Amino acid sequence: MTNAHPTVSPGQASAPLGVGELAPDFTLVDQYGVDVSLSAVRDRKNAVVVFYPAAFSGICRGELREIRDGLEDFQDDDIQIFAVSCDSMYTLRAWADAEGHFFPLLSDFWPHGEVARRYGVLDDEDGFALRGTFLLDRSGRLVWSEVRGIGQGRDFLAYREALATLRASQRDAVG
């Protein structure tokens, strides 16, 4: 699988993760005030960590609706989504209620953008996460990613192709 890294913002803190690297663990609060940890799914499920700039914004609204409406590609018995922004828990709750998002919307509000920074997608200059999508296998290693700037929507087709490849390789390893 390939790693796609189009042009990103000059305020970006560091280079995004590379394929094969172990993804940094995190525990963030969701829109209901519940702690959610990446490590909770390690060795049990694949994961997709989706960073987005801001709740209630145009492109983000469309992207999160795409996730909600195609949830089988983002959350089921085989995969868990972690949707992360630097918005507060209260903003995420209002957005989840308004949009019908029942999957975890995680707040990277304080320390501001720390998880986004660790994944290399924090725009330090403007204080928001870039559009980063990180597909992790069950061991927590990165198998595919895409990082785009604030005005560039993500490529869900490329994500779905990477997920299909990951699932096929896991089936082949078992069978």
Side-chain angles (χ1 to χ4, degrees):
M1 288 183 232
T2 62
N3 233 9
H5 294 288
T7 304
V8 294
S9 171
Q12 185 177 329
S14 61
L17 298 175
V19 168
E21 288 185 64
L22 188 62
D25 190 22
F26 57 80
T27 300
L28 295 171
V29 66
D30 72 5
Q31 69 266 36
Y32 303 107
V34 176
D35 284 346
V36 176
S37 298
L38 178 62
S39 59
V41 300
R42 193 157 287 158
D43 297 323
R44 296 183 316 109
K45 290 185 176 189
N46 299 306
V48 60
V49 182
V50 175
F51 291 92
Y52 59 97
F56 294 104
S57 61
I59 296 173
C60 295
R61 176 173 277 138
E63 289 180 338
L64 273 282
R65 284 178 179 171
E66 172 85 13
I67 291 169
R68 178 195 67 203
D69 297 345
L71 200 59
E72 67 278 359
D73 291 330
F74 298 92
Q75 184 167 298
D76 61 19
D77 290 340
D78 184 51
I79 191 161
Q80 176 66 49
I81 185 166
F82 297 88
V84 183
S85 77
C86 295
D87 294 305
S88 74
M89 174 195 76
Y90 304 105
T91 300
L92 295 178
R93 176 63 187 264
W95 196 36
D97 289 349
E99 292 288 323
H101 299 316
F102 47 89
F103 50 87
L105 302 180
L106 305 179
S107 175
D108 192 14
F109 185 73
W110 196 256
H112 191 78
E114 183 58 32
V115 174
R117 181 175 288 109
R118 290 172 47 210
Y119 277 73
V121 295
L122 181 68
D123 183 319
D124 281 311
E125 196 171 294
D126 293 324
F128 57 77
L130 300 172
R131 294 181 197 287
T133 309
F134 298 88
L135 181 59
L136 313 175
D137 66 14
R138 290 183 188 112
S139 72
R141 298 212 174 270
L142 181 68
V143 296
W144 178 88
S145 70
E146 176 184 69
V147 177
R148 294 182 178 226
I150 189 169
Q152 304 170 312
R154 65 189 86 231
D155 184 353
F156 285 107
L157 179 59
Y159 163 75
R160 285 183 169 99
E161 289 171 355
L163 179 61
T165 301
L166 173 61
R167 285 177 167 161
S169 70
Q170 289 173 338
R171 275 192 308 272
D172 292 346
V174 171

